[in-house]
Amino acid sequence: MTHQNAEHSSRFGAGSEAGADVPDANDNRRQVLYWRLLARLFDHEEQPALESASLAVVEDIGLPSALLDPGASVDSVVQRHPELAPEFDGLMTPAPEEDGARDRAAEVRRAALASKVLLNVFASGSGTVTAEQLARWQSDAEWFERALGCRPGELRGGRGSAGRAGAGGGVSPTGTGVGGPAPDLSRLIPAIGPELGSIEAGLVKRMHLREVLADPALAARLTPSMSLIEQLLRDKDNLSGVALANAKALIRRYVDEVTEVLRTQVEKSTVGELDRSVPPKRVFRNLDIDRTIWKNLTNWSPEEERLYVDRLYYRHTSRKTTPQRLIVVVDQSGSMVDSMVNCTILASIFAGLPKVDVHLIAYDTQALDLTPWAHDPFETLLRTKLGGGTDGTVAMALAQPKIAEPRNTVVVWISDFYEWRHQELFDSMAAVHRSGAKFIPVGSVTSSGRGSVNPWFRERFKDLGAPVISGHIKKLVHELKTFLT
């Protein structure tokens, strides 16, 4: 150990002569490690005093100095020191409370390990990212998820929950049995998941995506996210072979995940009223036993203690439905990617409902009729071409001829409504509304509910009696389900 490190060791209470000062010294050691963590997270410039002090702490407690090396992944540390692997599992979950004094030495050890994971994941640096660097970050992110008591990939896929990781005192660190204060992040899991996805999306933007897509092993480790899907949709025409196949696989994974969520929302939404004009099907599953008994009580024989049934009664299950036409017009300019993906998937779900005729139109400065593929959001997205400008009049030219029976038609128009020929477009939208068709202008249907709408259009839609829906996609699901069923 160098003279400087020995000096720091003495300062932080190392050695057998520390005696009663050990608890305070360990508190100081833990504080130094957290000071270094914060300094590195918020300042790219290295702090020499904190670095040397942290090195002295790590060496004093018998941990490898590689924990302080920003270039060393958690994987590489564990490969050289396999005894540390169990300590990373559940590292940041609440430890069970134990009677007796705190083990401050164990707290310092946990602080050193936690700092390594947190820095490797959240101090992602800047500049160009190579495929190797992305793979290393993904590996470190998996260790971070394990430290929170989750399965690798669970948080980035948006499936983690605070209740699972934090219930019942959380997942205790396996193989360590140490307690005491540690970075307990389990309660922040709902916010951590999207943040991890955002960091990964930023890393993908800073690298050559085609290099990753060309490697099946690297592509398989990508977590589908809106940022990634947007890039894939923008670049799909420039991909071929293995890269194109991997891009399509990622798009389909994302589509399938979102479809599952939206289908559940549609199924839970309001459905049509029972149609009592349609005779109930006389099958056993529709048999109304309570009503049958009540209606036949006059046939009760006290002597025989037996009920004679003259007539069976069945429940009505048929619901009132009218053939409806749903026309979805989606702005496919770059600012509306999230809404376009969500609404394309939503249109495909409604296309699967009985007696609903779905038509889908995408537009920027040109319009594209995607109706033949409306039932398959994956195929639909592959046929879109993200643009820059918007001209809704070209989409209206395709939509208006499809309104054959206005009273049975709903037109959903998804856009931020920053249009070139705004007065002309609004006049045609107002004409659709006055014809008797239900016109639903939608400003954003994103997962977060964020989005901007041209104030000029917003005020005129409000005066028209068709206010803009802007918020979570559940609002649009409710509006459509109420009208169509």
Side-chain angles (χ1 to χ4, degrees), residues 124-141:
S124 54
S126 58
T128 304
V129 175
T130 65
E132 181 182 356
Q133 287 173 323
L134 176 64
R136 189 179 69 183
W137 182 90
Q138 290 170 331
S139 173
D140 288 332

PDB file of all heavy atoms in Angstrom, residues 124-141:
ATOM      1  N   SER A 124     -23.430   6.850 -18.292  1.00  0.00           N
ATOM      2  CA  SER A 124     -23.245   6.241 -19.622  1.00  0.00           C
ATOM      3  C   SER A 124     -22.356   7.058 -20.541  1.00  0.00           C
ATOM      4  O   SER A 124     -22.115   6.661 -21.687  1.00  0.00           O
ATOM      5  CB  SER A 124     -24.610   6.017 -20.286  1.00  0.00           C
ATOM      6  OG  SER A 124     -25.348   7.223 -20.327  1.00  0.00           O
ATOM      7  N   GLY A 125     -21.859   8.218 -20.073  1.00  0.00           N
ATOM      8  CA  GLY A 125     -20.905   8.984 -20.858  1.00  0.00           C
ATOM      9  C   GLY A 125     -21.535   9.665 -22.064  1.00  0.00           C
ATOM     10  O   GLY A 125     -22.741   9.864 -22.145  1.00  0.00           O
ATOM     11  N   SER A 126     -20.695   9.999 -23.034  1.00  0.00           N
ATOM     12  CA  SER A 126     -21.161  10.685 -24.241  1.00  0.00           C
ATOM     13  C   SER A 126     -20.317  10.213 -25.422  1.00  0.00           C
ATOM     14  O   SER A 126     -19.381   9.431 -25.263  1.00  0.00           O
ATOM     15  CB  SER A 126     -21.032  12.210 -24.069  1.00  0.00           C
ATOM     16  OG  SER A 126     -19.676  12.567 -23.800  1.00  0.00           O
ATOM     17  N   GLY A 127     -20.662  10.700 -26.583  1.00  0.00           N
ATOM     18  CA  GLY A 127     -19.915  10.320 -27.780  1.00  0.00           C
ATOM     19  C   GLY A 127     -20.439   9.039 -28.418  1.00  0.00           C
ATOM     20  O   GLY A 127     -21.432   8.457 -27.986  1.00  0.00           O
ATOM     21  N   THR A 128     -19.740   8.600 -29.444  1.00  0.00           N
ATOM     22  CA  THR A 128     -20.155   7.415 -30.195  1.00  0.00           C
ATOM     23  C   THR A 128     -20.039   6.159 -29.348  1.00  0.00           C
ATOM     24  O   THR A 128     -19.103   5.992 -28.576  1.00  0.00           O
ATOM     25  CB  THR A 128     -19.283   7.249 -31.459  1.00  0.00           C
ATOM     26  OG1 THR A 128     -19.358   8.447 -32.229  1.00  0.00           O
ATOM     27  CG2 THR A 128     -19.776   6.089 -32.309  1.00  0.00           C
ATOM     28  N   VAL A 129     -21.020   5.281 -29.493  1.00  0.00           N
ATOM     29  CA  VAL A 129     -21.055   4.016 -28.754  1.00  0.00           C
ATOM     30  C   VAL A 129     -20.836   2.866 -29.718  1.00  0.00           C
ATOM     31  O   VAL A 129     -21.440   2.816 -30.784  1.00  0.00           O
ATOM     32  CB  VAL A 129     -22.415   3.844 -28.038  1.00  0.00           C
ATOM     33  CG1 VAL A 129     -22.519   2.485 -27.375  1.00  0.00           C
ATOM     34  CG2 VAL A 129     -22.609   4.951 -27.012  1.00  0.00           C
ATOM     35  N   THR A 130     -19.956   1.945 -29.344  1.00  0.00           N
ATOM     36  CA  THR A 130     -19.723   0.771 -30.177  1.00  0.00           C
ATOM     37  C   THR A 130     -20.681  -0.352 -29.762  1.00  0.00           C
ATOM     38  O   THR A 130     -21.300  -0.307 -28.701  1.00  0.00           O
ATOM     39  CB  THR A 130     -18.282   0.266 -30.027  1.00  0.00           C
ATOM     40  OG1 THR A 130     -18.091  -0.198 -28.675  1.00  0.00           O
ATOM     41  CG2 THR A 130     -17.286   1.372 -30.339  1.00  0.00           C
ATOM     42  N   ALA A 131     -20.789  -1.360 -30.612  1.00  0.00           N
ATOM     43  CA  ALA A 131     -21.637  -2.512 -30.298  1.00  0.00           C
ATOM     44  C   ALA A 131     -21.152  -3.198 -29.020  1.00  0.00           C
ATOM     45  O   ALA A 131     -21.957  -3.665 -28.205  1.00  0.00           O
ATOM     46  CB  ALA A 131     -21.636  -3.491 -31.467  1.00  0.00           C
ATOM     47  N   GLU A 132     -19.830  -3.233 -28.828  1.00  0.00           N
ATOM     48  CA  GLU A 132     -19.269  -3.863 -27.625  1.00  0.00           C
ATOM     49  C   GLU A 132     -19.669  -3.089 -26.377  1.00  0.00           C
ATOM     50  O   GLU A 132     -19.994  -3.676 -25.342  1.00  0.00           O
ATOM     51  CB  GLU A 132     -17.746  -3.928 -27.740  1.00  0.00           C
ATOM     52  CG  GLU A 132     -17.065  -4.595 -26.547  1.00  0.00           C
ATOM     53  CD  GLU A 132     -15.550  -4.615 -26.664  1.00  0.00           C
ATOM     54  OE1 GLU A 132     -15.033  -4.175 -27.717  1.00  0.00           O
ATOM     55  OE2 GLU A 132     -14.895  -5.046 -25.709  1.00  0.00           O
ATOM     56  N   GLN A 133     -19.641  -1.760 -26.466  1.00  0.00           N
ATOM     57  CA  GLN A 133     -20.014  -0.934 -25.320  1.00  0.00           C
ATOM     58  C   GLN A 133     -21.492  -1.100 -24.984  1.00  0.00           C
ATOM     59  O   GLN A 133     -21.874  -1.143 -23.818  1.00  0.00           O
ATOM     60  CB  GLN A 133     -19.702   0.537 -25.614  1.00  0.00           C
ATOM     61  CG  GLN A 133     -18.207   0.857 -25.593  1.00  0.00           C
ATOM     62  CD  GLN A 133     -17.924   2.265 -26.060  1.00  0.00           C
ATOM     63  OE1 GLN A 133     -18.578   2.782 -26.970  1.00  0.00           O
ATOM     64  NE2 GLN A 133     -16.958   2.908 -25.425  1.00  0.00           N
ATOM     65  N   LEU A 134     -22.337  -1.200 -26.010  1.00  0.00           N
ATOM     66  CA  LEU A 134     -23.763  -1.416 -25.764  1.00  0.00           C
ATOM     67  C   LEU A 134     -23.984  -2.760 -25.078  1.00  0.00           C
ATOM     68  O   LEU A 134     -24.763  -2.855 -24.112  1.00  0.00           O
ATOM     69  CB  LEU A 134     -24.545  -1.377 -27.078  1.00  0.00           C
ATOM     70  CG  LEU A 134     -26.044  -1.682 -26.944  1.00  0.00           C
ATOM     71  CD1 LEU A 134     -26.749  -0.637 -26.101  1.00  0.00           C
ATOM     72  CD2 LEU A 134     -26.697  -1.788 -28.326  1.00  0.00           C
ATOM     73  N   ALA A 135     -23.305  -3.788 -25.548  1.00  0.00           N
ATOM     74  CA  ALA A 135     -23.451  -5.114 -24.938  1.00  0.00           C
ATOM     75  C   ALA A 135     -22.992  -5.091 -23.484  1.00  0.00           C
ATOM     76  O   ALA A 135     -23.614  -5.726 -22.620  1.00  0.00           O
ATOM     77  CB  ALA A 135     -22.638  -6.137 -25.728  1.00  0.00           C
ATOM     78  N   ARG A 136     -21.921  -4.350 -23.194  1.00  0.00           N
ATOM     79  CA  ARG A 136     -21.430  -4.266 -21.818  1.00  0.00           C
ATOM     80  C   ARG A 136     -22.440  -3.542 -20.935  1.00  0.00           C
ATOM     81  O   ARG A 136     -22.704  -3.960 -19.807  1.00  0.00           O
ATOM     82  CB  ARG A 136     -20.082  -3.532 -21.781  1.00  0.00           C
ATOM     83  CG  ARG A 136     -19.408  -3.593 -20.412  1.00  0.00           C
ATOM     84  CD  ARG A 136     -18.068  -2.891 -20.424  1.00  0.00           C
ATOM     85  NE  ARG A 136     -18.228  -1.452 -20.562  1.00  0.00           N
ATOM     86  CZ  ARG A 136     -17.226  -0.580 -20.657  1.00  0.00           C
ATOM     87  NH1 ARG A 136     -15.988  -1.021 -20.680  1.00  0.00           N
ATOM     88  NH2 ARG A 136     -17.454   0.710 -20.771  1.00  0.00           N
ATOM     89  N   TRP A 137     -23.019  -2.447 -21.458  1.00  0.00           N
ATOM     90  CA  TRP A 137     -24.029  -1.728 -20.672  1.00  0.00           C
ATOM     91  C   TRP A 137     -25.234  -2.626 -20.410  1.00  0.00           C
ATOM     92  O   TRP A 137     -25.784  -2.629 -19.307  1.00  0.00           O
ATOM     93  CB  TRP A 137     -24.479  -0.468 -21.411  1.00  0.00           C
ATOM     94  CG  TRP A 137     -25.480   0.319 -20.600  1.00  0.00           C
ATOM     95  CD1 TRP A 137     -25.220   1.295 -19.702  1.00  0.00           C
ATOM     96  CD2 TRP A 137     -26.907   0.143 -20.586  1.00  0.00           C
ATOM     97  NE1 TRP A 137     -26.383   1.759 -19.121  1.00  0.00           N
ATOM     98  CE2 TRP A 137     -27.430   1.068 -19.652  1.00  0.00           C
ATOM     99  CE3 TRP A 137     -27.781  -0.695 -21.274  1.00  0.00           C
ATOM    100  CZ2 TRP A 137     -28.797   1.166 -19.389  1.00  0.00           C
ATOM    101  CZ3 TRP A 137     -29.142  -0.607 -21.016  1.00  0.00           C
ATOM    102  CH2 TRP A 137     -29.638   0.324 -20.086  1.00  0.00           C
ATOM    103  N   GLN A 138     -25.663  -3.381 -21.403  1.00  0.00           N
ATOM    104  CA  GLN A 138     -26.810  -4.270 -21.219  1.00  0.00           C
ATOM    105  C   GLN A 138     -26.523  -5.314 -20.146  1.00  0.00           C
ATOM    106  O   GLN A 138     -27.399  -5.652 -19.335  1.00  0.00           O
ATOM    107  CB  GLN A 138     -27.162  -4.947 -22.545  1.00  0.00           C
ATOM    108  CG  GLN A 138     -27.763  -3.988 -23.570  1.00  0.00           C
ATOM    109  CD  GLN A 138     -27.892  -4.611 -24.941  1.00  0.00           C
ATOM    110  OE1 GLN A 138     -27.109  -5.489 -25.317  1.00  0.00           O
ATOM    111  NE2 GLN A 138     -28.870  -4.168 -25.712  1.00  0.00           N
ATOM    112  N   SER A 139     -25.287  -5.806 -20.122  1.00  0.00           N
ATOM    113  CA  SER A 139     -24.906  -6.767 -19.095  1.00  0.00           C
ATOM    114  C   SER A 139     -24.932  -6.128 -17.707  1.00  0.00           C
ATOM    115  O   SER A 139     -25.437  -6.706 -16.745  1.00  0.00           O
ATOM    116  CB  SER A 139     -23.509  -7.322 -19.392  1.00  0.00           C
ATOM    117  OG  SER A 139     -23.044  -8.126 -18.326  1.00  0.00           O
ATOM    118  N   ASP A 140     -24.401  -4.898 -17.618  1.00  0.00           N
ATOM    119  CA  ASP A 140     -24.427  -4.192 -16.334  1.00  0.00           C
ATOM    120  C   ASP A 140     -25.865  -3.888 -15.902  1.00  0.00           C
ATOM    121  O   ASP A 140     -26.186  -3.950 -14.714  1.00  0.00           O
ATOM    122  CB  ASP A 140     -23.624  -2.891 -16.438  1.00  0.00           C
ATOM    123  CG  ASP A 140     -22.128  -3.127 -16.508  1.00  0.00           C
ATOM    124  OD1 ASP A 140     -21.671  -4.158 -15.966  1.00  0.00           O
ATOM    125  OD2 ASP A 140     -21.417  -2.300 -17.110  1.00  0.00           O
ATOM    126  N   ALA A 141     -26.727  -3.553 -16.873  1.00  0.00           N
ATOM    127  CA  ALA A 141     -28.135  -3.288 -16.558  1.00  0.00           C
ATOM    128  C   ALA A 141     -28.808  -4.545 -16.000  1.00  0.00           C
ATOM    129  O   ALA A 141     -29.663  -4.463 -15.109  1.00  0.00           O
ATOM    130  CB  ALA A 141     -28.876  -2.793 -17.795  1.00  0.00           C
TER     131      ALA A 141
END
